[in-house]
Amino acid sequence: MAHDHHHTNNKKVLLSALVLISILVIAEVIGGLLTNSLALLADAAHMLSDFFAIGIALIAFKVGERAASKSKTFGYKRFEILAALINAVLLIGISVFVLWNAIQRFQEPPEVAGGGVLVFGSFAIIINLLIAWIMMRGGDVKGNINLKGAFMHVLGDLIGTVGVLISGILILLFNWTIADPIISVVVSLLILTAGFRVAKDSLHVLMEGKPPSISLQKIENRLNEIKNVRSIHDLHLWSITSDFPAFSCHLVVEDGADRDEVLQKSSTMLKEEFHISHASIQIEGDDADCTTRC
């Protein structure tokens, strides 16, 4: 029941964040056009990518609720990873576009209304702080990786809006219009870095990579410590989705060993010590065919 409660709260939090972000994107686009600020438009682009990211996270919660079927035996939980990969591509594309425009502005820095940038930048920080507060207060930011990823995007937005404010102050006080493309480059590089990181993590899961938080060597050592286990082979550790690790292996046990006991002990150990609830373990005797492992 606690899981269902968190799940419902997470969806409500993401829906609230979507509404606030849509308001902020519209405001920043209008502000960027009125003040001729690329930094403001760059932050609006970042916020737009986050709108899609949070929207995808919300859809992932909904799609992930669908039960497993004969054709989708693990259900639809991996949709979260596919959604993250799509979001990463969007992040990279937006950052490259902003970088290109910033380079053009370095050659001929345009006039930028610093006061207007300051006003819209301040509004953006207030909205981002409100979104972060809603997520921390109402959502399972620490326990749910899907929501945590959306929360990290919001923190990135805060950095971007701080950059916009700095740009506005420099232009207003010193008429340093080149600050606008400089801040744009910094924001776009932050977006690019986040995009590559999300893409890397998503591809790692899609390629059945090992969860980074779990040591395969430690699992092997602990399995070898179980009474009557002689050897282990065909170990596989992968992720169905970001918070759903899966494991399989073959355990060779001594003749006369209680195989049910070995299976029970190994399954319990994996669940309690490594938080692996989905484990497929095949028990074999010394006389098993070893052509596939020798």
Side-chain angles (χ1 to χ4, degrees), residues 170-291:
L170 291 174
I171 294 170
L172 191 63
L173 296 180
F174 307 108
N175 197 30
W176 193 27
T177 55
I178 200 170
D180 187 71
I182 290 174
I183 295 298
S184 301
V185 169
V186 173
V187 172
S188 61
L189 288 176
L190 287 172
I191 301 172
L192 188 65
T193 302
F196 277 117
R197 186 179 294 116
V198 173
K200 179 184 176 183
D201 293 345
S202 302
L203 288 172
H204 182 72
V205 174
L206 293 174
M207 292 297 294
E208 309 288 0
K210 181 187 76 66
S213 60
I214 304 176
S215 169
L216 189 61
Q217 185 61 54
K218 287 182 180 180
I219 291 178
E220 187 173 2
N221 292 340
R222 288 292 290 116
L223 287 172
N224 275 313
E225 292 172 3
I226 294 175
K227 184 180 179 181
N228 295 322
V229 173
R230 291 180 59 87
S231 63
I232 308 167
H233 66 96
D234 287 341
L235 279 80
H236 298 284
L237 176 62
W238 70 101
S239 296
I240 303 302
T241 187
S242 52
D243 56 352
F244 186 174
F247 176 80
S248 68
C249 75
H250 292 208
L251 294 182
V252 179
V253 299
E254 297 176 355
D255 291 337
D258 187 334
R259 297 190 177 193
D260 288 339
E261 182 182 3
V262 172
L263 180 61
Q264 188 272 329
K265 285 183 176 180
S266 57
S267 297
T268 300
M269 181 274 295
L270 289 169
K271 185 174 183 178
E272 293 181 352
E273 297 185 22
F274 298 96
H275 307 291
I276 299 175
S277 299
H278 185 87
S280 300
I281 302 172
Q282 181 172 322
I283 308 296
E284 300 175 350
D286 277 337
D287 57 347
D289 181 12
C290 71
T291 56

Side-chain angles (χ1 to χ4, degrees), residues 34-53:
L34 290 176
T35 61
N36 199 28
S37 170
L38 182 61
L40 206 53
L41 290 173
D43 196 57
H46 191 184
M47 291 300 299
L48 183 61
S49 71
D50 287 350
F51 178 86
F52 285 111

Side-chain angles (χ1 to χ4, degrees), residues 52-166:
F52 285 111
I54 292 175
I56 288 170
L58 182 58
I59 292 171
F61 275 124
K62 293 297 294 181
V63 174
E65 293 173 351
R66 296 178 63 180
S69 63
K70 290 183 178 180
S71 62
K72 302 288 188 299
T73 57
F74 277 110
Y76 292 80
K77 297 183 183 297
R78 188 163 277 193
F79 181 82
E80 172 193 337
I81 307 304
L82 293 172
L85 184 59
I86 293 170
N87 178 52
V89 173
L90 288 173
L91 285 172
I92 294 170
I94 289 171
S95 62
V96 171
F97 176 77
V98 173
L99 270 173
W100 173 256
N101 282 276
I103 291 171
Q104 304 301 313
R105 289 200 169 201
F106 273 118
Q107 299 172 2
E108 295 182 12
E111 289 296 322
V112 177
V117 172
L118 206 58
V119 170
F120 283 100
S122 300
F123 177 72
I125 281 187
I126 292 171
I127 294 296
N128 277 312
L129 285 173
L130 180 59
I131 294 171
W133 179 79
I134 289 173
M135 285 188 168
M136 291 181 67
R137 187 174 180 85
D140 187 18
V141 172
K142 293 183 178 180
N144 186 277
I145 295 178
N146 192 20
L147 187 65
K148 184 178 180 180
F151 181 69
M152 294 306 294
H153 276 281
V154 173
L155 293 183
D157 292 333
L158 279 172
I159 296 172
T161 48
V162 168
V164 170
L165 273 181
I166 294 172

